[in-house]
Amino acid sequence: MEFMRYFGTLTGLPSEQIRSQINFLADLLILPSVNSKIKHLDYSEKKRVSFGLALLREPELLVLDEATFGLDTLYKEIIWKHLVYLTRKFNATVIITSSGIDELHNADIIGIMRKGLLVAEGSPETLLSRFEVETLECTFAKLSTQQDNRGVSNTRAHFNNFGLETDYVARYIVGDYLTDKNRGHIKVLVWKNFLWFIRYWLTNLSLIAIPLIQCAILFICYGRPPTDLDVAVVNYESSQRDCKPISCENPHVACNYVSYVADHFINLVDYQSETEALASVISGRHYASVVLRENYTAALKSRMNSWQDADNWDIFHSIIDVTCDFSKANIGTFLKLHFHKGFRQFMKEYMAACQRNRNDVSLPFQWKNDVYDIMNLGMTQYSSPGILLTTIFLLPVGLTAFSLMSEKREGVLDRTLNAGVRLKEILISHLISNVVIMVLLSLTITGTTIYLLNLTVNGPIVLVGALVLLTGFCGICAGYLLSLTCKSESSAILIPLASYVPCVCMSAILWPIQGMVSALRPLAYALPLTVPVEALRSIMEGGWGLTNTMVCLGFVTIILWIIVFVAICYFLVRQKD
């Protein structure tokens, strides 16, 4: 029903006529239920549905290729009777090609071709009488023998000397029989696209889900502070753990430092000797070891009082030895920051408890942000814009390419073109439907990501939305290019899926482009997402607007890539249209 309604509407038939024709053809061709899915039909039923579609408009000129091939005798007879009826009742012209010559006895005129030449033409009775045979197959056999005996090749010169009464090449212009540009085409094509999206919901869901799952995995696994880190602690001064509040008279302040280091993401494991603690780090059982020497408190107090006059004994015993496993570089850096932060907080509190200025132990820098805030290293905020734009770019690439390629594979595209629809109309209809889907998905994904990850958006939210939508539109244009150049659905789907990780790595999403090999930097900047990612990061974190050069370049870059994709697609469409 949907198949017939789609092509009937494309050719300008009113709904009532389409409905009556569907019911008539279903009865005539003994078709299954009109609500059956075509993919569930057998070969004969699909063949009859295709034939019924050709008859839907009751055309004046009907060109059929092997219309009855593979059908039972009953169906062949039904089809031929109806073709004869059309020519008698409506003066229709039917041109049919067939390799089964005996079934052509119902035709008014038969043209027999062999080796590219029209070797005979006439009514069945005329041909049988002329060659004095009883069947058309015998006619063909006799003609073939004559042609082989004369050694006729596929050239026009030999054809003129073949001695048959027919010697012409007919050329018909069938453009008048096709519907011209019709404003209703777009409406029907868009309806078909959304219907296709629903019909292939499982495949489309997987095309949407795979990039989203990859995006979610990156968000979940990347940029968060590590937890459950085992750290070996050797406190030669005291075995106590709970020694708060801090006091200047406390003879064991090493225990206070340990309490500042202790956190919910670090598991402190007590050891009796430095040798054992180091061995646990070397063997990989622990990520770091912290050693506080005996008499740590006395040495620290003396060093505080003496400052530059402190002796070597005070300096040696007031030093905390930390050994990190830097084979796991990020964790080692994380722990290094954590130990620094813990010591800074501990010393400030200890100085205050001793009636000293707590800023005496501060470094001579005034940091406007907390450089020791290891709970938020900024990696999630840094990488989120890139992961977001990459996902939004690749989502419509796969959807657009798959929708067009599936139409091509199923023959719907060729049949739509044969119905008089122009290729650019098909692309415009896909553009409308894909833009609607892209806008809904892009805004939903962006809003959800910002909300769930609690991302900071310091700049205009309108610019964030505009850049996101332009990126999605660029993905649609890239999907068109894939559909016009790829020969199979699998390649059109695999290319965007395989591009996810290279885009993440090459577009400065997880690591600054300045850390890339210098030879690859020009290529990275030339990619569609590198500059837009930096622009989105500048809007969200820097709070910048279009007056900022980087933000402006991001919009210009994505628009230029859209123009490039559209220009290439236009050239390919002009070649094929």
Side-chain angles (χ1 to χ4, degrees):
M1 176 70 77
E2 293 166 351
F3 188 67
M4 296 283 192
R5 186 183 298 166
Y6 166 63
F7 284 102
T9 309
L10 277 182
T11 52
L13 293 178
S15 300
E16 283 298 323
Q17 185 177 351
I18 293 174
R19 191 176 299 109
S20 63
Q21 276 291 92
I22 290 172
N23 294 330
F24 166 73
L25 293 170
D27 293 336
L28 173 71
L29 301 174
I30 319 176
L31 295 176
S33 170
V34 292
N35 295 318
S36 301
K37 291 185 178 179
I38 294 179
K39 66 179 181 180
H40 295 155
L41 305 181
D42 61 28
Y43 175 82
S44 175
E45 291 169 332
K46 289 179 181 178
K47 190 85 173 179
R48 282 177 279 143
V49 169
S50 179
F51 180 70
L53 180 62
L55 300 177
L56 187 64
R57 190 179 169 83
E58 296 181 341
E60 299 175 45
L61 173 64
L62 190 61
V63 182
L64 303 171
D65 179 30
E66 298 286 1
T68 60
F69 179 79
L71 297 180
D72 295 340
T73 304
L74 172 64
Y75 299 128
K76 289 182 180 181
E77 194 65 26
I78 291 173
I79 289 173
W80 272 103
K81 282 185 178 180
H82 190 68
L83 292 177
V84 172
Y85 169 77
L86 290 176
T87 58
R88 302 294 184 268
K89 180 74 175 178
F90 301 103
N91 292 322
T93 299
V94 179
I95 302 174
I96 181 169
T97 65
S98 176
S99 56
I101 192 169
D102 257 355
E103 68 180 67
L104 303 178
H105 62 274
N106 289 315
D108 295 318
I109 299 175
I110 298 175
I112 299 177
M113 293 190 69
R114 187 168 183 268
K115 294 185 177 181
L117 299 177
L118 185 64
V119 295
E121 185 182 60
S123 66
E125 294 78 12
T126 301
L127 292 176
L128 293 175
S129 173
R130 177 187 170 193
F131 291 99
E132 299 177 350
V133 291
E134 296 182 356
T135 64
L136 291 174
E137 279 194 348
C138 293
T139 303
F140 182 76
K142 199 166 185 178
L143 279 167
S144 300
T145 303
Q146 291 181 10
Q147 187 182 32
D148 292 338
N149 289 339
R150 297 189 185 195
V152 178
S153 64
N154 301 344
T155 65
R156 185 69 178 172
H158 284 94
F159 177 67
N160 287 333
N161 299 323
F162 191 49
L164 299 177
E165 71 273 18
T166 303
D167 185 10
Y168 64 86
V169 177
R171 292 182 177 87
Y172 293 92
I173 299 175
V174 297
D176 294 337
Y177 293 91
L178 300 178
T179 55
D180 203 352
K181 294 181 180 178
N182 189 334
R183 293 181 181 178
H185 284 177
I186 301 296
K187 180 180 178 181
V188 181
L189 291 168
V190 171
W191 168 79
K192 181 262 299 175
N193 292 340
F194 281 111
L195 190 63
W196 170 88
F197 191 82
I198 296 171
R199 284 286 179 270
Y200 286 90
W201 67 270
L202 187 59
T203 303
N204 289 317
L205 182 63
S206 65
L207 287 173
I208 295 171
I210 290 174
L212 289 181
I213 290 172
Q214 291 176 319
C215 176
I217 289 173
L218 278 172
F219 280 138
I220 292 170
C221 301
Y222 180 78
R224 298 177 179 275
T227 58
D228 298 325
L229 303 178
D230 293 331
V231 174
V233 177
V234 181
N235 188 350
Y236 286 117
E237 186 178 65
S238 172
S239 60
Q240 295 180 8
R241 275 290 186 89
D242 187 13
C243 46
K244 287 186 178 181
I246 194 168
S247 169
C248 191
E249 290 75 25
N250 186 355
H252 306 298
V253 295
C255 138
N256 288 115
Y257 173 68
V258 172
S259 66
Y260 276 93
V261 171
D263 210 320
H264 65 277
F265 54 86
I266 289 182
N267 303 321
L268 297 179
V269 182
D270 290 320
Y271 276 82
Q272 298 301 315
S273 69
E274 183 178 359
T275 304
E276 293 178 358
L278 288 174
S280 70
V281 176
I282 294 172
S283 64
R285 286 181 289 134
H286 298 94
Y287 294 98
S289 68
V290 180
V291 180
L292 295 104
R293 294 189 173 89
E294 198 173 3
N295 301 315
Y296 175 77
T297 304
L300 183 64
K301 277 187 176 182
S302 177
R303 188 172 180 179
M304 287 170 54
N305 294 325
S306 303
W307 289 113
Q308 70 270 21
D309 296 327
D311 57 29
N312 291 334
W313 187 93
D314 292 335
I315 294 173
F316 177 78
H317 284 84
S318 61
I319 289 176
I320 302 172
D321 287 336
V322 179
T323 303
C324 289
D325 181 4
F326 280 100
S327 64
K328 303 174 181 63
N330 291 336
I331 293 179
T333 303
F334 177 84
L335 288 173
K336 182 178 179 180
L337 288 173
H338 179 67
F339 295 144
H340 274 288
K341 179 182 179 181
F343 184 78
R344 186 182 63 152
Q345 292 174 340
F346 155 70
M347 282 303 298
K348 283 188 174 182
E349 295 298 325
Y350 188 53
M351 292 287 285
C354 293
Q355 309 285 320
R356 303 281 291 270
N357 188 343
R358 61 192 301 163
N359 292 322
D360 286 348
V361 293
S362 298
L363 291 174
F365 292 96
Q366 186 177 358
W367 299 102
K368 296 299 183 180
N369 56 337
D370 190 353
V371 295
Y372 295 107
D373 187 6
I374 45 78
M375 290 307 296
N376 183 15
L377 294 176
M379 298 309 295
T380 301
Q381 181 75 31
Y382 177 83
S383 61
S384 294
I387 297 173
L388 188 63
L389 284 191
T390 302
T391 304
I392 290 172
F393 175 77
L394 293 178
L395 263 176
V397 172
L399 284 173
T400 304
F402 178 72
S403 61
L404 286 167
M405 294 298 292
S406 63
E407 279 194 23
K408 189 185 298 185
R409 174 180 56 82
E410 294 172 356
V412 177
L413 181 62
D414 288 338
R415 197 138 201 176
T416 302
L417 292 171
N418 291 336
V421 180
R422 303 306 190 263
L423 183 56
K424 55 184 152 186
E425 291 179 305
I426 296 174
L427 294 180
I428 291 171
S429 70
H430 278 279
L431 178 64
I432 294 172
S433 55
N434 287 324
V435 163
V436 171
I437 295 171
M438 180 271 296
V439 169
L440 293 175
L441 286 174
S442 299
L443 295 181
T444 302
I445 293 169
T446 303
T448 304
T449 302
I450 292 174
Y451 175 75
L452 292 180
L453 297 179
N454 196 25
L455 300 178
T456 303
V457 183
N458 296 319
I461 192 69
V462 175
L463 288 183
V464 173
L467 190 55
V468 163
L469 293 180
L470 281 173
T471 302
F473 185 73
C474 187
I476 291 176
C477 297
Y480 279 139
L481 183 58
L482 278 181
S483 64
L484 291 171
T485 53
C486 293
K487 295 184 178 180
S488 66
E489 289 174 85
S490 57
S491 59
I493 294 174
L494 287 174
I495 288 174
L497 293 181
S499 302
Y500 194 90
V501 173
C503 282
V504 168
C505 295
M506 290 286 293
S507 299
I509 292 172
L510 299 182
W511 198 254
I513 201 167
Q514 290 77 10
M516 192 179 296
V517 176
S518 57
L520 288 178
R521 291 180 191 176
L523 175 61
Y525 278 115
L527 293 176
L529 297 180
T530 304
V531 180
V533 166
E534 289 290 340
L536 184 59
R537 193 175 288 132
S538 300
I539 296 171
M540 294 178 66
E541 294 186 49
W544 298 334
L546 282 175
T547 54
N548 179 265
T549 304
M550 180 55 68
V551 175
C552 190
L553 280 176
F555 279 91
V556 170
T557 300
I558 200 69
I559 291 172
L560 284 176
W561 270 103
I562 290 173
I563 294 172
V564 169
F565 286 137
V566 170
I568 297 174
C569 290
Y570 179 77
F571 173 77
L572 294 175
V573 169
R574 287 293 299 270
Q575 294 292 106
K576 297 181 180 182
D577 204 357

